[in-house]
Amino acid sequence: MPRPAAQRFSRADAAVPEARSFLRHVLSEWDIIDRFDDAVLCLSELATNAIRHGVPQGGYFLVKASLIDGRLRIEVHDQSGLLPRVKCPEADDVSGRGLLLVDALADGWGVEPRVPCGKTVWTEFKIEIRQEPAAGVIPC
């Protein structure tokens, strides 16, 4: 299993694209292609929520990715105790659909408190892990 990867991002306009780039790089290094686009989109939504609702001016959020037992887990840590909630936007609303997307695409998501303050919003994906053939073995 690869070691978890984590990176901090400042509250800035470029933070969400930078977080997506970080996750793309990690998933590529781990040779994960299954659920790649779903994972990147869900991270984008969670990072946007962190910037809008959880990161104070001058603050940061942390993105962590880990792979355990065939599950890709992506976490976004911020400094706010304010819990996210799924909204029911009207057809003409221009925001409020992020957690609806996460709920629809991921195999699970949730929120955990952070000590001493803040929260972690996580999402998980069941993924296929390609098994490398043993040395000298030619696959059929």
Side-chain angles (χ1 to χ4, degrees):
M1 281 301 138
R3 292 175 45 162
Q7 185 169 328
R8 279 186 176 186
F9 300 91
S10 298
R11 182 181 177 189
D13 290 341
V16 174
E18 289 171 356
R20 285 192 304 256
S21 180
F22 163 74
L23 183 60
R24 285 185 190 107
H25 176 76
V26 168
L27 297 180
S28 293
E29 276 195 357
W30 291 351
D31 201 24
I32 295 174
I33 45 181
D34 185 39
R35 311 291 302 275
F36 187 97
D37 293 330
D38 291 346
V40 172
L41 178 57
C42 287
L43 169 62
S44 185
E45 297 299 334
L46 297 183
T48 298
N49 284 349
I51 288 174
R52 287 188 179 166
H53 309 292
V55 179
Q57 194 66 27
Y60 68 91
F61 65 97
L62 175 77
V63 173
K64 181 178 177 184
S66 56
L67 188 59
I68 301 168
D69 298 328
R71 296 183 76 82
L72 171 65
R73 182 177 174 105
I74 301 164
E75 301 175 357
V76 175
H77 304 244
D78 67 40
Q79 293 101 4
S80 172
L82 184 66
L83 298 179
R85 58 184 176 84
V86 178
K87 296 180 181 178
C88 296
E90 298 295 325
D92 58 347
D93 287 345
V94 295
S95 65
R97 292 175 180 79
L99 289 178
L100 287 171
L101 286 169
V102 171
D103 193 55
L105 294 174
D107 293 310
W109 71 275
V111 183
E112 299 170 353
R114 285 185 68 203
V115 176
C117 66
K119 67 182 173 300
T120 299
V121 183
W122 58 268
T123 184
E124 288 187 342
F125 302 87
K126 296 175 190 169
I127 60 165
E128 298 273 334
I129 299 175
R130 291 195 291 191
Q131 300 295 327
E132 295 295 323
V137 175
I138 300 171
C140 299

